Amino acid sequence: MHDNFNNTIDSGLANPAEPEVGEMPTNDHSLDDLENVNKTGTTTVGLATAEGVIIATDMRASLGGRFVSNKNVQKVEQIHDTAALTLVGSVGGAQSFISSLRAEANLYEARRGEPMSINALATLAGNFARGGPFFAIHPILGGVDEEGHHVYSIDPAGGVVADDYTVTGSGMQIAYGVLEQEYEEGLSNEEGKTIAARSVKSAVERDTGSGNGVFLAEITTDGVDIRGHKDFDDVI
Amino acid sequence: MQGQSQQQAYDRGITIFSPDGRLYQVEYAREAVKRGTASIGIRTAEGVVLVVNKKLRSRLMEPNSIEKLHKADDHVGIASAGHVADARQLIDFARQQAQVNQLRYGEPIGVETLTKNVTDHIQQYTQTGGARPFGVALLIGGIQNGEPRLFETDPSGTPNEWKALAVGRDRGEIQEYLEENYEESADLDAGIDLALEALASVSDDDFEASGVGVATVDVETEQYSELDDERVQAHLDELDLLDEEDEEE
């Protein structure tokens, strides 16, 4: 609470749209950047199963989908004991977003003695996305808590939408095509991983911004397990 | 003269310890709490009960204008004892904290978190130059994760959790009564009765319904609600605690 000792009393009221730890980064993103989010290469998929949540992401970083700048990118990161977030859009924005959310989730748990619910994490992520300069991002948040298994899409303007399955990134139409045929309620995690990997594979085959393999994150009450696979055959 | 005022500075300066490690201004603030009429909190199996004594100084005063029971959020109530004006500041702080939590995390604030936010705020007034501590104690009761919780704040900013307690005038005697008669498995009505009887045990005069405030937060609805005079009257009737004149009516 005490940032300094200059004898002033802290209002004690945290701004809901700002991190308690550190400050919002500043930059000069324009509305054009906002529109470009969907043009940035990437395919990230999140789906809820009967046992937890599965997230799948491709492994390509590209410059506008024209040049492959990295072939081994992990686009899903753990941000909480039982939640993970995907990186979509501006890499700097997404990394900074993840660091902030991770710090907030840790602080919340340390202060209150119980982990942040996934709904709280999604609300906070939405507030940050809307209020901050992270906005050139379009991540998926997946997590498990006492209430159940959750998948949220956090859009660049701060929209927070819960769903059973969702896809973001330039390969989304292709990946959705697979999910619309194959997703159903009550999947096991193994089935979920196969379907998620298949949907990313379809996107990788036809979307030039996505490629080079798949990272799969399996989220259960036990935690988050993230593994990379250069070869889709390992998981399909 | 100079020397003497320096020596006694710990008596007046809020941020200065006495040689034996006490903060006199905080202790004086506790005295201010003792001068306020009593407030009682009871945690029952079905929810939390808050009962306050709203002793009227004059029959011309409107009972409704005595502010001792406050709704902090849908699921949290606060009873105060001590300086009403100081209480109002803390209650408003608590209300804002509850809404900030809702905005920030999209969920109702925990009773424990709310209490600790308030006590952290109170604490700053014991360590900041030029400030005066809050001359008020609060009972913060509500439902968190489906469980009833009841906390106390004092002028030092220490949070404590209780099954049942009293703050304000006659705290000690009321507390003794509660210790002898408290039962954890009691229902909400039994909790209200216990608090009223505890209050009666230290009152010289009999009650009027308008002189007592009763509020509950029950586990089922998770809603704060204040009992109207008729319902308070019904409890007092049943316990035979009413003013004799009222009984004749």
Side-chain angles (χ1 to χ4, degrees):
Chain A
M1 282 288 192
H2 281 290
D3 291 320
N4 48 40
F5 288 92
N6 65 0
N7 273 345
T8 54
I9 288 168
D10 188 333
S11 78
L13 294 171
N15 181 343
E18 284 193 355
E20 285 199 74
V21 186
E23 289 176 2
M24 280 288 186
T26 51
N27 61 28
D28 50 0
H29 280 308
S30 63
L31 276 177
D32 288 344
D33 295 320
L34 198 63
E35 283 174 11
N36 275 330
V37 175
N38 293 326
K39 296 179 188 159
T40 343
T42 282
T43 304
T44 82
V45 174
L47 54 90
T49 70
E51 295 167 4
V53 171
I54 302 297
I55 288 178
T57 60
D58 76 296
M59 291 166 75
R60 173 172 296 178
S62 69
L63 300 175
R66 290 164 169 274
F67 178 78
V68 178
S69 49
N70 194 302
K71 297 195 281 186
N72 196 21
V73 185
Q74 183 180 332
K75 298 181 191 173
V76 54
E77 291 273 3
Q78 181 169 7
I79 56 167
H80 172 283
D81 282 349
T82 57
L85 192 84
T86 67
L87 291 87
V88 182
S90 143
V91 175
Q95 284 175 341
S96 148
F97 189 68
I98 281 176
S99 317
S100 276
L101 281 179
R102 203 180 266 154
E104 294 292 322
N106 286 338
L107 189 61
Y108 182 106
E109 181 163 358
R111 279 184 179 158
R112 308 189 184 203
E114 57 186 25
M116 205 187 265
S117 72
I118 305 306
N119 179 57
L121 201 51
T123 307
L124 194 64
N127 288 347
F128 286 3
R130 189 182 71 250
F134 308 108
F135 62 68
I137 55 172
H138 194 170
I140 293 171
L141 171 67
V144 171
D145 62 16
E146 286 175 357
E147 304 286 315
H149 310 150
H150 312 273
V151 173
Y152 288 91
S153 148
I154 315 287
D155 76 36
V160 178
V161 183
D163 215 334
D164 291 334
Y165 57 95
T166 194
V167 188
T168 64
S170 57
M172 67 154 71
Q173 284 94 337
I174 306 164
Y176 264 131
V178 175
L179 288 179
E180 293 304 338
Q181 296 303 315
E182 301 201 15
Y183 180 82
E184 55 188 65
E185 277 183 27
L187 294 170
S188 70
N189 275 356
E190 282 309 311
E191 290 166 330
K193 278 196 268 190
T194 305
I195 291 169
R198 271 191 197 144
S199 66
V200 171
K201 180 164 191 284
S202 291
V204 159
E205 295 288 350
R206 291 286 172 172
D207 172 39
T208 54
S210 307
N212 305 96
V214 63
F215 265 94
L216 282 171
E218 178 176 5
I219 308 166
T220 61
T221 48
D222 293 335
V224 180
D225 184 30
I226 301 177
R227 288 165 202 272
H229 307 273
K230 294 298 281 183
D231 187 348
F232 279 93
D233 289 339
D234 293 349
V235 284
I236 291 181
Chain B
M1 201 56 188
Q2 179 76 29
Q4 195 183 14
S5 69
Q6 290 260 315
Q7 258 178 2
Q8 292 178 352
Y10 57 80
D11 193 7
R12 280 168 260 144
I14 176 62
T15 57
I16 301 174
F17 277 113
S18 77
D20 56 349
R22 295 158 66 178
L23 289 169
Y24 280 113
Q25 286 299 318
V26 170
E27 294 189 13
Y28 298 159
R30 289 204 183 100
E31 293 302 317
V33 172
K34 286 185 195 161
R35 297 173 76 92
T37 52
S39 292
I40 300 175
I42 313 269
R43 195 181 82 197
T44 74
E46 291 181 353
V48 179
V49 176
L50 299 172
V51 168
V52 299
N53 184 358
K54 304 198 287 189
K55 203 170 180 61
L56 296 172
R57 289 196 300 274
S58 157
R59 69 183 185 84
L60 300 179
M61 204 171 180
E62 284 291 352
N64 289 341
S65 69
I66 310 266
E67 292 187 29
K68 291 198 67 185
L69 280 173
H70 319 256
K71 176 175 166 176
D73 199 353
D74 285 346
H75 64 300
V76 185
I78 301 182
S80 55
H83 278 271
V84 174
D86 285 15
R88 282 179 52 80
Q89 294 300 314
L90 290 180
I91 301 295
D92 194 63
F93 179 81
R95 287 173 175 158
Q96 290 186 47
Q97 290 288 329
Q99 294 315 311
V100 165
N101 196 91
Q102 188 71 52
L103 274 177
R104 196 172 169 79
Y105 303 116
E107 57 189 27
I109 195 166
V111 185
E112 180 171 353
T113 300
L114 179 62
T115 302
K116 289 179 178 174
N117 287 356
V118 172
T119 53
D120 287 351
H121 186 64
I122 295 171
Q123 189 278 341
Q124 290 190 60
Y125 286 76
T126 71
Q127 213 177 15
T128 306
R132 159 176 84 67
F134 287 91
V136 67
L138 304 179
L139 305 179
I140 304 183
I143 309 298
Q144 175 175 346
N145 299 331
E147 298 287 331
R149 306 287 296 271
L150 174 64
F151 289 86
E152 173 202 17
T153 78
D154 86 334
S156 73
T158 308
N160 282 309
E161 184 166 16
W162 293 83
K163 296 185 174 90
L165 86 156
V167 289
R169 190 174 303 155
D170 301 320
R171 171 184 186 145
E173 280 176 66
I174 300 175
Q175 199 72 39
E176 269 177 42
Y177 187 92
L178 294 176
E179 269 167 31
E180 273 173 34
N181 297 288
Y182 178 79
E183 282 173 35
E184 213 154 325
S185 58
D187 62 15
L188 217 46
D189 277 331
I192 294 173
D193 289 346
L194 173 62
L196 290 172
E197 283 171 332
L199 202 54
S201 73
V202 296
S203 301
D204 300 332
D205 328 315
D206 283 330
F207 290 126
E208 277 181 72
S210 62
V212 187
V214 180
T216 60
V217 191
D218 75 274
V219 171
E220 209 156 296
T221 63
E222 303 200 357
Q223 296 286 317
Y224 172 84
S225 100
E226 288 182 25
L227 270 62
D228 57 26
D229 282 356
E230 275 173 35
R231 287 184 61 198
V232 175
Q233 183 105 19
H235 275 277
L236 293 175
D237 267 334
E238 203 174 308
L239 297 168
D240 206 16
L241 295 175
L242 275 182
D243 201 308
E244 277 176 21
E245 281 173 37
D246 286 351
E247 278 178 24
E248 283 164 19
E249 275 172 5

